[in-house]
Amino acid sequence: MIVFLTTLVIAVVGAAVGFGLVYTGKKFHVEVDERETAVRECLPGNNCGACGFAGCDAMAAAIVSGAAPVNGCPVGGAPVASRIAQIMGTMADVKERNVAFVQCKGSCKVTRNQGNYIGVQDCRTAVLSGLTVTECSYGCLGFGSCVVACPHDAIHVRDGVSVVDPRKCIGCGLCAKACPRKLIVLIPESRHVAVQCSNRDKGPIVKKVCSAGCIGCGMCQRTCEHDAIRVTDNLACVAYENCVQCGACAEKCPVKVITLPLGQVKKNIPA
Amino acid sequence: MNNTFRGGIHPETHKSLTRDLPLRPVEAKGEMVFPLLQHIGKPALPLVKKGDAVLVGQRIGEADGFVSAHVISSVSGKVKAVEKRRVQNGQMTECVVIENDGSYTSLEPYDSRYDVSHITGEEILRRIRDAGIIGLGGAGFPTHVKLSPKDPSAIRFLIANGSECEPYLTCTDQLMRTESAAIVEGLELMLRLFPNARGVICIEDNKPEAIAAMQAAVAGRQKLSVLPCKAKYGQGGEKMLIETVAGIFYPASMLPADVGCIVQNVCTIYAIERAVVYHEPLYRHVFTLTGDTVASPGNFIVRDGMSFAELLEAAGGLKEGACPRKAIVGGPVMGMAISSLSVPIQKTSSGVALVSVDESEVGQSKMTACLRCGRCATVCPVGLTPQMMADAVSVGDLERYEKKLYGLECLACGCCGFICPAKRPLVQMFLSAKAEILSRKRAQAGGKK
């Protein structure tokens, strides 16, 4: 008898729950565009927020709804963009991956600290103290606010100045936002001609505070045949739309503050 | 004595170095630098250009809008440049650079009294604004703005701040001893703007000579009184003075005028008297040069625009073989260290201490984890809980810092950091947290637009 009763109760409860599930499943069904799931699977999934959306899920939804371009993920770059374009049935206008670049080479060998700053070892806090901290008032402070901000361990303070490891960098730009001196910029991965200085003072003043700084002599501007590097405000600035990466400017630079093109720079990256 | 506020600390004052030394005028020699932003508000617009000749007392920067202040030349000479220079706060600021010709030719002699018996309130405010007067206590808020509250009749207390609670500084003390009559006259002129106000001069009880001088000067005047306060660091803060005098405590969202009080430093009041009675604009002020590395410390009347290095040289330089570890402008607790002595003295610079031992360095070497002793909470004049705020900042929980712990109320007075036995850099953490919160708020407000 008891066996029969137990079976019956379980059967009834099972049936009730089953119908309930089917009903609620139908009633509360949410239409999900299957493309969104597919797009989400293509995205890297590290939720860095570099695209400007809250994370990869939000980005996928934005791509499907048309609010974001198919190549909007700066981390995934060309391969991800082309896969997403396939799903969306459009052509991806392939955008190159960006890499962070520190516009300062003021290591302990070439410049010094000043003002005897003591306190919280954080760049943004140090700037609030009113001390210049480093002799160069434009240069890297070396307390590593960018290091803390980086989600991919791609930036480190070496010898008093932040250095980016381009192989690890995903180009999310969080370090650039964290830097109180605005030294970090994002440049396309294949572009290796860049000026490693942000000092806008006149040459003699720069010489006094840092032996590696850009003195604004204009040698690069005169050397360049493509009008791709110009000195404004005593600081050289590369115009990437014209640059062919011949490296002539870097060779001629008397203070060697311009980084060299591809082949040569790759060798310099420490393992 | 009951005339005090809750909390506060008793640091070594080091005032004996200079407290009895009379004010001495110093004349500047070389290049003078006048930052166009010495006040809170918009920077002044330059009125002169390279090559122009200027005189003492001439306006060289025009206030840009209401919350701004004029900049006045303190010497006669030629304008050398209008360019960016590094100033006291470490920033590069647009400055007028004047080559001093050493003759000090003045626009007016500034030594004859004008009749002020029938002067109107508007006239007083106009004179103050024309003289480029800003709060000389350190913050540099334009004085004419502070003296123009929405409802002047609601002001009950006009508080003259002569507490000078920062260690090392003694120039205000000396000013009160020598110019007590002028300060009282300035205070009475200000009282004409506020029909229902009483003037209270607050002086810490470690300055008996100044108290006696001011008491003698106010004798027989109905609306004025001198209030000796307990000598304790923190007394010179606006909030603490209002708590002492009026017994009112107000949150950071309110202004002193909202609770019927206006606080002015006695140096500012002296400048007001000079401006209204003698038509003299603000181009010189009192200044304490002190510290254990200075050969002859003292109280000086300095001209704006001269560099700290020049003043040091004029005063006799450093002691033989002494090497200052840090130079702190405006009192060592709330003041700022400067990176170089070549920056100009500006209106708000009240003194510089050149010290051989850097306390923050000593402190950091002894830093340990928080002991949870709670001493920081007992000295906080605002009644905050610094140990919990520091926890919130160190884990990056700025939401909790702002909403639960009222971190934006922090005055950065430094009491908690001073008393902390674990030598935690509390104030610095709070300052950076506040800056971060405010910048996020600004970004949000910008995003909405």
Side-chain angles (χ1 to χ4, degrees), chain A residues 75-118:
Chain A
V75 178
V80 168
S82 65
R83 264 186 289 156
I84 295 174
Q86 235 168 25
I87 296 164
M88 296 298 294
T90 54
M91 287 298 289
D93 178 17
V94 174
K95 207 159 81 178
E96 207 193 339
R97 190 169 75 103
N98 278 337
V99 170
F101 178 79
V102 183
Q103 290 177 313
C104 176
K105 70 188 290 197
S107 67
C108 302
K109 285 183 200 119
V110 294
T111 184
R112 278 188 307 272
N113 280 356
Q114 185 196 40
N116 186 25
Y117 172 78
I118 292 150

mmCIF file of all heavy atoms in Angstrom, chain A residues 75-118:
data_model
loop_
_atom_site.group_PDB
_atom_site.id
_atom_site.type_symbol
_atom_site.label_atom_id
_atom_site.label_comp_id
_atom_site.label_asym_id
_atom_site.label_seq_id
_atom_site.Cartn_x
_atom_site.Cartn_y
_atom_site.Cartn_z
ATOM 1 N N VAL A 75 40.628 45.040 -28.419
ATOM 2 C CA VAL A 75 41.493 43.978 -27.910
ATOM 3 C C VAL A 75 41.580 42.840 -28.925
ATOM 4 O O VAL A 75 42.648 42.330 -29.234
ATOM 5 C CB VAL A 75 40.962 43.465 -26.559
ATOM 6 C CG1 VAL A 75 41.834 42.339 -26.049
ATOM 7 C CG2 VAL A 75 40.906 44.610 -25.563
ATOM 8 N N GLY A 76 40.427 42.456 -29.447
ATOM 9 C CA GLY A 76 40.392 41.330 -30.371
ATOM 10 C C GLY A 76 41.048 41.619 -31.705
ATOM 11 O O GLY A 76 41.640 40.739 -32.320
ATOM 12 N N GLY A 77 40.925 42.853 -32.147
ATOM 13 C CA GLY A 77 41.564 43.245 -33.393
ATOM 14 C C GLY A 77 40.932 42.598 -34.610
ATOM 15 O O GLY A 77 39.743 42.235 -34.620
ATOM 16 N N ALA A 78 41.776 42.407 -35.653
ATOM 17 C CA ALA A 78 41.278 41.963 -36.952
ATOM 18 C C ALA A 78 40.609 40.584 -36.932
ATOM 19 O O ALA A 78 39.529 40.426 -37.509
ATOM 20 C CB ALA A 78 42.421 41.991 -37.958
ATOM 21 N N PRO A 79 41.197 39.558 -36.312
ATOM 22 C CA PRO A 79 40.566 38.225 -36.386
ATOM 23 C C PRO A 79 39.160 38.213 -35.799
ATOM 24 O O PRO A 79 38.234 37.644 -36.407
ATOM 25 C CB PRO A 79 41.499 37.323 -35.576
ATOM 26 C CG PRO A 79 42.591 38.147 -35.045
ATOM 27 C CD PRO A 79 42.470 39.518 -35.577
ATOM 28 N N VAL A 80 39.004 38.859 -34.643
ATOM 29 C CA VAL A 80 37.682 38.892 -34.009
ATOM 30 C C VAL A 80 36.710 39.674 -34.884
ATOM 31 O O VAL A 80 35.564 39.247 -35.118
ATOM 32 C CB VAL A 80 37.782 39.511 -32.594
ATOM 33 C CG1 VAL A 80 36.405 39.831 -32.052
ATOM 34 C CG2 VAL A 80 38.528 38.566 -31.662
ATOM 35 N N ALA A 81 37.166 40.790 -35.412
ATOM 36 C CA ALA A 81 36.297 41.631 -36.230
ATOM 37 C C ALA A 81 35.795 40.869 -37.454
ATOM 38 O O ALA A 81 34.617 40.963 -37.819
ATOM 39 C CB ALA A 81 37.046 42.895 -36.649
ATOM 40 N N SER A 82 36.683 40.092 -38.072
ATOM 41 C CA SER A 82 36.246 39.406 -39.291
ATOM 42 C C SER A 82 35.240 38.301 -38.957
ATOM 43 O O SER A 82 34.291 38.074 -39.697
ATOM 44 C CB SER A 82 37.450 38.845 -40.046
ATOM 45 O OG SER A 82 38.081 37.851 -39.273
ATOM 46 N N ARG A 83 35.437 37.634 -37.800
ATOM 47 C CA ARG A 83 34.469 36.593 -37.424
ATOM 48 C C ARG A 83 33.107 37.205 -37.107
ATOM 49 O O ARG A 83 32.072 36.686 -37.485
ATOM 50 C CB ARG A 83 35.002 35.797 -36.227
ATOM 51 C CG ARG A 83 35.717 34.515 -36.686
ATOM 52 C CD ARG A 83 36.106 33.674 -35.503
ATOM 53 N NE ARG A 83 37.194 34.303 -34.760
ATOM 54 C CZ ARG A 83 37.452 34.084 -33.480
ATOM 55 N NH1 ARG A 83 36.665 33.262 -32.785
ATOM 56 N NH2 ARG A 83 38.448 34.672 -32.869
ATOM 57 N N ILE A 84 33.148 38.335 -36.383
ATOM 58 C CA ILE A 84 31.880 38.991 -36.052
ATOM 59 C C ILE A 84 31.196 39.472 -37.331
ATOM 60 O O ILE A 84 29.977 39.359 -37.491
ATOM 61 C CB ILE A 84 32.106 40.162 -35.078
ATOM 62 C CG1 ILE A 84 32.630 39.637 -33.743
ATOM 63 C CG2 ILE A 84 30.815 40.950 -34.842
ATOM 64 C CD1 ILE A 84 33.015 40.697 -32.757
ATOM 65 N N ALA A 85 31.998 39.982 -38.261
ATOM 66 C CA ALA A 85 31.440 40.471 -39.515
ATOM 67 C C ALA A 85 30.734 39.339 -40.262
ATOM 68 O O ALA A 85 29.672 39.541 -40.862
ATOM 69 C CB ALA A 85 32.548 41.066 -40.374
ATOM 70 N N GLN A 86 31.314 38.146 -40.195
ATOM 71 C CA GLN A 86 30.702 36.979 -40.828
ATOM 72 C C GLN A 86 29.315 36.711 -40.238
ATOM 73 O O GLN A 86 28.342 36.515 -40.961
ATOM 74 C CB GLN A 86 31.582 35.760 -40.580
ATOM 75 C CG GLN A 86 31.985 35.060 -41.856
ATOM 76 C CD GLN A 86 33.082 34.051 -41.583
ATOM 77 O OE1 GLN A 86 33.228 33.549 -40.456
ATOM 78 N NE2 GLN A 86 33.835 33.740 -42.610
ATOM 79 N N ILE A 87 29.258 36.750 -38.900
ATOM 80 C CA ILE A 87 27.980 36.497 -38.223
ATOM 81 C C ILE A 87 26.960 37.558 -38.608
ATOM 82 O O ILE A 87 25.802 37.279 -38.902
ATOM 83 C CB ILE A 87 28.173 36.497 -36.696
ATOM 84 C CG1 ILE A 87 29.094 35.337 -36.295
ATOM 85 C CG2 ILE A 87 26.836 36.398 -35.964
ATOM 86 C CD1 ILE A 87 29.655 35.466 -34.907
ATOM 87 N N MET A 88 27.414 38.803 -38.630
ATOM 88 C CA MET A 88 26.511 39.906 -38.905
ATOM 89 C C MET A 88 26.243 40.060 -40.401
ATOM 90 O O MET A 88 25.405 40.868 -40.794
ATOM 91 C CB MET A 88 27.101 41.228 -38.365
ATOM 92 C CG MET A 88 27.270 41.273 -36.862
ATOM 93 S SD MET A 88 25.713 41.121 -35.981
ATOM 94 C CE MET A 88 24.903 42.616 -36.465
ATOM 95 N N GLY A 89 26.981 39.327 -41.215
ATOM 96 C CA GLY A 89 26.755 39.394 -42.660
ATOM 97 C C GLY A 89 27.229 40.676 -43.293
ATOM 98 O O GLY A 89 26.715 41.117 -44.307
ATOM 99 N N THR A 90 28.227 41.343 -42.667
ATOM 100 C CA THR A 90 28.786 42.547 -43.278
ATOM 101 C C THR A 90 30.280 42.348 -43.468
ATOM 102 O O THR A 90 30.847 41.334 -43.061
ATOM 103 C CB THR A 90 28.580 43.787 -42.382
ATOM 104 O OG1 THR A 90 29.124 43.477 -41.104
ATOM 105 C CG2 THR A 90 27.134 44.173 -42.277
ATOM 106 N N MET A 91 30.904 43.346 -44.051
ATOM 107 C CA MET A 91 32.348 43.304 -44.192
ATOM 108 C C MET A 91 32.965 44.086 -43.042
ATOM 109 O O MET A 91 32.505 45.170 -42.694
ATOM 110 C CB MET A 91 32.763 43.943 -45.525
ATOM 111 C CG MET A 91 32.447 43.083 -46.731
ATOM 112 S SD MET A 91 33.318 41.509 -46.691
ATOM 113 C CE MET A 91 34.990 42.080 -46.997
ATOM 114 N N ALA A 92 34.006 43.521 -42.467
ATOM 115 C CA ALA A 92 34.684 44.240 -41.387
ATOM 116 C C ALA A 92 35.712 45.172 -41.985
ATOM 117 O O ALA A 92 36.525 44.781 -42.808
ATOM 118 C CB ALA A 92 35.366 43.253 -40.461
ATOM 119 N N ASP A 93 35.608 46.418 -41.573
ATOM 120 C CA ASP A 93 36.626 47.384 -41.941
ATOM 121 C C ASP A 93 37.698 47.215 -40.868
ATOM 122 O O ASP A 93 37.579 47.728 -39.769
ATOM 123 C CB ASP A 93 35.996 48.788 -41.916
ATOM 124 C CG ASP A 93 37.020 49.845 -42.251
ATOM 125 O OD1 ASP A 93 38.072 49.479 -42.789
ATOM 126 O OD2 ASP A 93 36.747 51.023 -41.965
ATOM 127 N N VAL A 94 38.707 46.450 -41.174
ATOM 128 C CA VAL A 94 39.609 45.973 -40.119
ATOM 129 C C VAL A 94 40.419 47.109 -39.506
ATOM 130 O O VAL A 94 41.062 47.890 -40.207
ATOM 131 C CB VAL A 94 40.544 44.883 -40.668
ATOM 132 C CG1 VAL A 94 41.564 44.486 -39.623
ATOM 133 C CG2 VAL A 94 39.724 43.688 -41.086
ATOM 134 N N LYS A 95 40.328 47.182 -38.178
ATOM 135 C CA LYS A 95 41.048 48.206 -37.436
ATOM 136 C C LYS A 95 42.225 47.526 -36.752
ATOM 137 O O LYS A 95 42.107 46.418 -36.261
ATOM 138 C CB LYS A 95 40.121 48.813 -36.385
ATOM 139 C CG LYS A 95 40.479 50.223 -36.009
ATOM 140 C CD LYS A 95 39.313 50.956 -35.406
ATOM 141 C CE LYS A 95 39.097 50.639 -33.951
ATOM 142 N NZ LYS A 95 38.010 51.357 -33.347
ATOM 143 N N GLU A 96 43.338 48.232 -36.727
ATOM 144 C CA GLU A 96 44.508 47.597 -36.137
ATOM 145 C C GLU A 96 44.485 47.695 -34.623
ATOM 146 O O GLU A 96 43.940 48.637 -34.054
ATOM 147 C CB GLU A 96 45.751 48.279 -36.681
ATOM 148 C CG GLU A 96 46.920 47.357 -36.680
ATOM 149 C CD GLU A 96 48.201 48.096 -36.917
ATOM 150 O OE1 GLU A 96 48.164 49.208 -37.460
ATOM 151 O OE2 GLU A 96 49.236 47.545 -36.545
ATOM 152 N N ARG A 97 45.091 46.722 -33.988
ATOM 153 C CA ARG A 97 45.168 46.704 -32.531
ATOM 154 C C ARG A 97 46.056 47.855 -32.054
ATOM 155 O O ARG A 97 47.103 48.144 -32.633
ATOM 156 C CB ARG A 97 45.771 45.379 -32.078
ATOM 157 C CG ARG A 97 45.698 45.117 -30.600
ATOM 158 C CD ARG A 97 46.085 43.681 -30.333
ATOM 159 N NE ARG A 97 47.527 43.503 -30.459
ATOM 160 C CZ ARG A 97 48.343 43.402 -29.409
ATOM 161 N NH1 ARG A 97 47.850 43.456 -28.184
ATOM 162 N NH2 ARG A 97 49.630 43.225 -29.577
ATOM 163 N N ASN A 98 45.628 48.490 -30.982
ATOM 164 C CA ASN A 98 46.433 49.563 -30.405
ATOM 165 C C ASN A 98 47.285 49.029 -29.264
ATOM 166 O O ASN A 98 46.912 48.055 -28.612
ATOM 167 C CB ASN A 98 45.522 50.659 -29.864
ATOM 168 C CG ASN A 98 45.072 51.588 -30.958
ATOM 169 O OD1 ASN A 98 45.722 51.701 -31.986
ATOM 170 N ND2 ASN A 98 43.954 52.251 -30.730
ATOM 171 N N VAL A 99 48.386 49.699 -29.044
ATOM 172 C CA VAL A 99 49.269 49.336 -27.946
ATOM 173 C C VAL A 99 49.618 50.607 -27.185
ATOM 174 O O VAL A 99 49.797 51.664 -27.784
ATOM 175 C CB VAL A 99 50.550 48.662 -28.497
ATOM 176 C CG1 VAL A 99 51.587 48.504 -27.410
ATOM 177 C CG2 VAL A 99 50.232 47.323 -29.104
ATOM 178 N N ALA A 100 49.654 50.492 -25.861
ATOM 179 C CA ALA A 100 50.004 51.660 -25.055
ATOM 180 C C ALA A 100 51.482 51.985 -25.226
ATOM 181 O O ALA A 100 52.309 51.098 -25.444
ATOM 182 C CB ALA A 100 49.696 51.385 -23.593
ATOM 183 N N PHE A 101 51.773 53.275 -25.136
ATOM 184 C CA PHE A 101 53.151 53.717 -25.284
ATOM 185 C C PHE A 101 53.418 54.838 -24.287
ATOM 186 O O PHE A 101 52.641 55.787 -24.192
ATOM 187 C CB PHE A 101 53.371 54.204 -26.725
ATOM 188 C CG PHE A 101 54.761 54.722 -26.956
ATOM 189 C CD1 PHE A 101 55.806 53.840 -27.152
ATOM 190 C CD2 PHE A 101 55.011 56.081 -26.955
ATOM 191 C CE1 PHE A 101 57.089 54.316 -27.341
ATOM 192 C CE2 PHE A 101 56.292 56.560 -27.162
ATOM 193 C CZ PHE A 101 57.339 55.671 -27.353
ATOM 194 N N VAL A 102 54.502 54.708 -23.523
ATOM 195 C CA VAL A 102 54.835 55.717 -22.514
ATOM 196 C C VAL A 102 55.749 56.767 -23.145
ATOM 197 O O VAL A 102 56.840 56.451 -23.600
ATOM 198 C CB VAL A 102 55.538 55.078 -21.302
ATOM 199 C CG1 VAL A 102 55.806 56.131 -20.241
ATOM 200 C CG2 VAL A 102 54.701 53.954 -20.740
ATOM 201 N N GLN A 103 55.251 58.009 -23.162
ATOM 202 C CA GLN A 103 56.025 59.081 -23.794
ATOM 203 C C GLN A 103 57.028 59.681 -22.817
ATOM 204 O O GLN A 103 57.026 60.875 -22.549
ATOM 205 C CB GLN A 103 55.089 60.166 -24.295
ATOM 206 C CG GLN A 103 54.256 59.711 -25.480
ATOM 207 C CD GLN A 103 53.285 60.767 -25.904
ATOM 208 O OE1 GLN A 103 52.592 61.341 -25.093
ATOM 209 N NE2 GLN A 103 53.238 61.043 -27.183
ATOM 210 N N CYS A 104 57.868 58.850 -22.268
ATOM 211 C CA CYS A 104 58.903 59.336 -21.371
ATOM 212 C C CYS A 104 59.961 58.267 -21.276
ATOM 213 O O CYS A 104 59.653 57.077 -21.210
ATOM 214 C CB CYS A 104 58.325 59.616 -19.978
ATOM 215 S SG CYS A 104 59.576 60.114 -18.776
ATOM 216 N N LYS A 105 61.230 58.668 -21.312
ATOM 217 C CA LYS A 105 62.264 57.679 -21.038
ATOM 218 C C LYS A 105 63.147 58.139 -19.887
ATOM 219 O O LYS A 105 64.314 57.805 -19.795
ATOM 220 C CB LYS A 105 63.031 57.307 -22.319
ATOM 221 C CG LYS A 105 63.918 58.319 -22.916
ATOM 222 C CD LYS A 105 64.470 57.917 -24.285
ATOM 223 C CE LYS A 105 65.486 56.797 -24.277
ATOM 224 N NZ LYS A 105 66.250 56.744 -25.542
ATOM 225 N N GLY A 106 62.532 58.896 -18.989
ATOM 226 C CA GLY A 106 63.278 59.463 -17.864
ATOM 227 C C GLY A 106 63.596 58.468 -16.772
ATOM 228 O O GLY A 106 63.056 58.544 -15.671
ATOM 229 N N SER A 107 64.471 57.534 -17.040
ATOM 230 C CA SER A 107 64.843 56.553 -16.014
ATOM 231 C C SER A 107 65.802 57.192 -15.015
ATOM 232 O O SER A 107 66.233 58.325 -15.190
ATOM 233 C CB SER A 107 65.505 55.351 -16.669
ATOM 234 O OG SER A 107 66.743 55.760 -17.214
ATOM 235 N N CYS A 108 66.126 56.464 -13.981
ATOM 236 C CA CYS A 108 67.008 56.990 -12.935
ATOM 237 C C CYS A 108 68.380 57.368 -13.481
ATOM 238 O O CYS A 108 69.098 58.147 -12.885
ATOM 239 C CB CYS A 108 67.178 55.964 -11.820
ATOM 240 S SG CYS A 108 65.625 55.482 -11.091
ATOM 241 N N LYS A 109 68.746 56.804 -14.628
ATOM 242 C CA LYS A 109 70.072 57.100 -15.183
ATOM 243 C C LYS A 109 70.121 58.495 -15.795
ATOM 244 O O LYS A 109 71.180 59.099 -15.867
ATOM 245 C CB LYS A 109 70.417 56.077 -16.272
ATOM 246 C CG LYS A 109 70.792 54.726 -15.708
ATOM 247 C CD LYS A 109 71.183 53.779 -16.831
ATOM 248 C CE LYS A 109 71.077 52.361 -16.360
ATOM 249 N NZ LYS A 109 70.104 51.579 -17.137
ATOM 250 N N VAL A 110 69.004 58.993 -16.284
ATOM 251 C CA VAL A 110 69.044 60.238 -17.039
ATOM 252 C C VAL A 110 68.424 61.432 -16.320
ATOM 253 O O VAL A 110 68.655 62.567 -16.690
ATOM 254 C CB VAL A 110 68.367 60.081 -18.422
ATOM 255 C CG1 VAL A 110 69.157 59.130 -19.285
ATOM 256 C CG2 VAL A 110 66.939 59.600 -18.279
ATOM 257 N N THR A 111 67.643 61.180 -15.291
ATOM 258 C CA THR A 111 67.044 62.296 -14.564
ATOM 259 C C THR A 111 66.950 61.910 -13.094
ATOM 260 O O THR A 111 67.169 60.759 -12.730
ATOM 261 C CB THR A 111 65.668 62.665 -15.142
ATOM 262 O OG1 THR A 111 65.166 63.808 -14.459
ATOM 263 C CG2 THR A 111 64.669 61.541 -15.008
ATOM 264 N N ARG A 112 66.630 62.901 -12.260
ATOM 265 C CA ARG A 112 66.618 62.641 -10.822
ATOM 266 C C ARG A 112 65.283 63.052 -10.211
ATOM 267 O O ARG A 112 64.528 63.799 -10.798
ATOM 268 C CB ARG A 112 67.720 63.453 -10.142
ATOM 269 C CG ARG A 112 69.089 62.836 -10.221
ATOM 270 C CD ARG A 112 70.045 63.627 -9.356
ATOM 271 N NE ARG A 112 70.011 65.041 -9.675
ATOM 272 C CZ ARG A 112 70.753 65.616 -10.610
ATOM 273 N NH1 ARG A 112 71.569 64.903 -11.317
ATOM 274 N NH2 ARG A 112 70.669 66.911 -10.822
ATOM 275 N N ASN A 113 65.070 62.570 -8.994
ATOM 276 C CA ASN A 113 63.927 63.035 -8.233
ATOM 277 C C ASN A 113 64.280 64.348 -7.553
ATOM 278 O O ASN A 113 65.435 64.679 -7.381
ATOM 279 C CB ASN A 113 63.519 62.011 -7.188
ATOM 280 C CG ASN A 113 62.704 60.903 -7.798
ATOM 281 O OD1 ASN A 113 62.389 60.956 -8.985
ATOM 282 N ND2 ASN A 113 62.365 59.927 -7.014
ATOM 283 N N GLN A 114 63.232 65.074 -7.160
ATOM 284 C CA GLN A 114 63.453 66.378 -6.565
ATOM 285 C C GLN A 114 62.381 66.616 -5.506
ATOM 286 O O GLN A 114 61.288 66.076 -5.615
ATOM 287 C CB GLN A 114 63.326 67.442 -7.667
ATOM 288 C CG GLN A 114 63.641 68.828 -7.210
ATOM 289 C CD GLN A 114 63.139 69.852 -8.195
ATOM 290 O OE1 GLN A 114 62.062 69.721 -8.742
ATOM 291 N NE2 GLN A 114 63.916 70.878 -8.416
ATOM 292 N N GLY A 115 62.688 67.416 -4.529
ATOM 293 C CA GLY A 115 61.673 67.827 -3.574
ATOM 294 C C GLY A 115 61.476 66.856 -2.439
ATOM 295 O O GLY A 115 60.675 67.095 -1.556
ATOM 296 N N ASN A 116 62.201 65.741 -2.439
ATOM 297 C CA ASN A 116 62.179 64.839 -1.295
ATOM 298 C C ASN A 116 60.755 64.425 -0.951
ATOM 299 O O ASN A 116 60.290 64.582 0.165
ATOM 300 C CB ASN A 116 62.848 65.564 -0.109
ATOM 301 C CG ASN A 116 63.020 64.686 1.093
ATOM 302 O OD1 ASN A 116 63.085 63.459 0.954
ATOM 303 N ND2 ASN A 116 63.067 65.290 2.252
ATOM 304 N N TYR A 117 60.047 63.902 -1.954
ATOM 305 C CA TYR A 117 58.668 63.483 -1.712
ATOM 306 C C TYR A 117 58.625 62.218 -0.869
ATOM 307 O O TYR A 117 59.276 61.231 -1.202
ATOM 308 C CB TYR A 117 57.939 63.229 -3.043
ATOM 309 C CG TYR A 117 56.582 62.602 -2.852
ATOM 310 C CD1 TYR A 117 55.504 63.376 -2.462
ATOM 311 C CD2 TYR A 117 56.385 61.236 -3.018
ATOM 312 C CE1 TYR A 117 54.271 62.805 -2.252
ATOM 313 C CE2 TYR A 117 55.154 60.659 -2.813
ATOM 314 C CZ TYR A 117 54.097 61.453 -2.433
ATOM 315 O OH TYR A 117 52.862 60.886 -2.223
ATOM 316 N N ILE A 118 57.875 62.295 0.208
ATOM 317 C CA ILE A 118 57.687 61.120 1.052
ATOM 318 C C ILE A 118 56.200 61.001 1.307
ATOM 319 O O ILE A 118 55.548 61.961 1.657
ATOM 320 C CB ILE A 118 58.419 61.293 2.387
ATOM 321 C CG1 ILE A 118 59.912 61.270 2.143
ATOM 322 C CG2 ILE A 118 58.061 60.184 3.360
ATOM 323 C CD1 ILE A 118 60.659 62.085 3.113
#
